[in-house]
């Protein structure tokens, strides 16, 4: 668990291995909106100067409205990966960590590298009194497993009775606001949100931490001053204050297209979200290589050779390209 985690988005490595220019590849390996919205003009001041308090407050207030976080002001961070690596500092002395699994691998890696004992649990009922911090990715990556707010609030309350902490990662939660715990005020609850996935802007490295004021203050201190760039804060304020209905509508349309293609191909959909679908197939490795040979990149998993995750194509042309590649795979296997 100490080695690098395999993630999606490795177009450079795939193009070296299978050929083709990077720009010719159809990247379905990530769970990111493939059609980012038009961007506003960013004032020169945001590029020229260090981000000031006024700009950070404006972005936090926009995030507060967008995430419906009540009285809690979300803390902007340079991608949620930056705060995942800080979580070991919050684990009570002598406690174990439980991570609902399988899931995003960087959680277990961060705790393991910090010398903590990590238990991969498959059910919330397996969380025990030995666990001082619990991580639940909700909806989960890569299978879309979803726990209800009621279940998670009960877990948070149980952990609070023994000084424990619940971390809920809602990186893929923007399409399911009714399932979010962002507005919950449990003192021991930490919610992570990702800006880049829904808005299709992963490259600016921006996320938010929603938690009690003393917790966000600690994260802020650990990250240091000016952790998030001025241009990123400008984009967050603008886009989170705009009407995002068309973004959500387009994502749903793209998701339905992907689901139809996978169903037509006879593949078994294990689960997913509006931003990706997980396929389970004994020939997943062979299918991954077949698609790569046609410059289509999907996400494979070193811990489940029969899983393959498909992200969204940007348009119907991409859909047609995937449909044809899957058709030729079926014909070869027939």
């Amino acid at each position: 668990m100490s080695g690098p985690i395999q993630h999606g988005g490795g177009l450079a490595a795939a193009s070296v291995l299978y050929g083709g220019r990077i720009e010719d590849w159809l990247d379905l390996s990530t769970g990111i909106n493939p059609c980012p919205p038009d961007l506003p003009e960013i004032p020169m001041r945001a590029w020229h100067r260090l981000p000031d308090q006024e700009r950070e407050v404006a972005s936090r207030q926009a995030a507060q409205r967008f995430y419906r976080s009540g009285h809690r002001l979300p803390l902007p961070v340079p991608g949620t990966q930056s705060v995942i690596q800080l979580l070991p500092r919050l684990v009570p002395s002598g406690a174990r960590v439980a991570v609902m699994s399988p899931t995003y691998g960087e959680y277990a890696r961060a705790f393991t590298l910090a010398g903590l004992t990590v238990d991969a649990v498959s059910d919330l009922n397996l969380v025990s009194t030995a666990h001082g911090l619990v991580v639940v990715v909700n909806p989960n990556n890569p299978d879309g497993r979803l726990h209800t707010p009621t279940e998670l609030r009960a877990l948070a309350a149980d952990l609070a009775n023994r000084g424990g902490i619940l971390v809920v990662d809602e990186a893929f939660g923007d399409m399911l606001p009714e399932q979010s715990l962002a507005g919950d005020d449990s003192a021991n609850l930490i919610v992570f949100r990702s800006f880049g996935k829904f808005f299709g802007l992963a490259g600016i490295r921006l996320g938010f931490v929603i938690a009690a004021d003393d917790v966000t203050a600690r994260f802020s201190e650990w990250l240091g001053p000016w952790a998030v760039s001025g241009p990123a804060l400008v984009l967050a304020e603008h886009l989170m204050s705009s009407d995002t209905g068309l973004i959500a509508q387009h994502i749903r349309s793209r998701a339905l297209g992907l689901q139809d293609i996978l169903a037509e191909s006879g593949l078994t959909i294990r689960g997913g979200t509006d931003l990706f679908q997980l396929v389970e197939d004994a020939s997943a490795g062979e299918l991954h290589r077949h698609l790569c040979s046609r410059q289509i990149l999907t996400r494979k998993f070193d811990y489940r050779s029969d899983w393959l995750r498909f992200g969204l194509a940007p348009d119907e042309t991409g859909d047609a390209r995937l449909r044809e590649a899957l058709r030729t795979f079926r014909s070869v296997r027939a």
Side-chain angles (χ1 to χ4, degrees):
M1 187 58 71
S2 61
I5 301 293
Q6 176 183 310
H7 297 291
L11 284 177
S15 66
V16 169
L17 189 59
Y18 292 95
R21 300 181 306 164
I22 289 178
E23 53 267 33
D24 294 333
W25 279 71
L26 176 61
D27 186 8
L28 305 181
S29 68
T30 70
I32 298 170
N33 176 4
C35 303
D38 293 335
L39 302 183
E41 182 178 351
I42 297 177
M44 180 54 66
R45 177 184 173 87
W47 297 106
H48 176 60
R49 299 180 61 84
L50 291 170
D52 57 25
Q53 185 76 7
E54 178 185 0
R55 195 173 301 285
E56 179 176 321
V57 169
S59 70
R60 296 186 73 172
Q61 291 173 340
Q64 183 181 40
R65 294 188 296 270
F66 182 77
Y67 292 131
R68 307 175 189 178
S69 62
H71 67 277
R72 292 185 168 179
L73 273 177
L75 174 72
V77 299
T80 50
Q81 181 62 43
S82 68
V83 283
I84 288 174
Q85 295 172 180
L86 297 175
L87 285 176
R89 304 186 188 192
L90 298 177
V91 179
S93 177
R96 303 169 72 95
V97 176
V99 179
M100 280 294 298
S101 301
T103 193
Y104 182 61
E106 294 291 347
Y107 281 104
R109 183 170 186 262
F111 293 119
T112 300
L113 288 175
L116 296 166
T117 301
V118 181
D119 297 316
V121 298
S122 58
D123 192 285
L124 294 182
N125 292 327
L126 297 177
V127 174
S128 74
T129 55
H131 297 124
L133 187 146
V134 179
V135 176
V136 181
V137 179
N138 199 58
N140 189 48
N141 173 20
D143 61 4
R145 178 187 59 218
L146 189 66
H147 293 95
T148 67
T150 300
E151 291 174 315
L152 295 175
R153 289 190 185 102
L155 176 58
D158 183 58
L159 286 166
N161 290 333
R162 56 179 186 271
I165 297 170
L166 175 61
V167 177
V168 179
D169 184 334
E170 297 181 349
F172 293 97
D174 294 278
M175 299 292 288
L176 297 168
E178 70 281 0
Q179 298 293 330
S180 175
L181 287 186
D184 196 278
D185 60 0
S186 300
N188 67 327
L189 173 66
I190 300 172
V191 176
F192 289 165
R193 297 297 294 251
S194 170
F195 177 84
K197 292 179 174 60
F198 176 79
F199 289 104
L201 297 170
I204 70 171
R205 308 306 304 129
L206 179 63
F208 288 88
V209 177
I210 304 172
D213 290 346
D214 61 320
V215 176
T216 55
R218 293 172 74 182
F219 277 121
S220 180
E221 180 181 354
W222 291 336
L223 289 169
W226 315 300
V228 176
S229 73
L233 295 174
V234 170
L235 289 177
E237 178 192 358
H238 175 85
L239 292 177
M240 289 179 144
S241 300
S242 65
D243 183 356
T244 58
L246 288 179
I247 299 176
Q249 180 180 336
H250 190 70
I251 289 174
R252 290 192 184 96
S253 174
R254 296 280 75 239
L256 289 174
L258 174 62
Q259 292 169 22
D260 288 345
I261 292 168
L262 296 177
E264 289 172 13
S265 71
L267 292 170
T268 299
I269 298 177
R270 169 69 180 263
T273 70
D274 282 319
L275 287 171
F276 63 80
Q277 294 292 304
L278 181 68
V279 162
E280 184 172 317
D281 193 282
S283 301
E286 182 183 351
L287 175 56
H288 175 79
R289 292 187 292 271
H290 171 82
L291 293 173
C292 281
S293 71
R294 285 154 177 77
Q295 282 74 58
I296 300 175
L297 185 62
T298 53
R299 170 73 159 89
K300 61 181 181 178
F301 298 88
D302 53 9
Y303 58 84
R304 284 295 300 261
S305 61
D306 59 339
W307 281 5
L308 207 58
R309 194 185 69 188
F310 290 75
L312 306 181
D315 49 36
E316 293 183 356
T317 299
D319 286 347
R321 186 173 167 184
L322 175 61
R323 180 180 286 109
E324 175 60 17
L326 291 175
R327 186 195 66 77
T328 59
F329 181 71
R330 291 199 309 273
S331 66
V332 169
R333 296 176 66 190

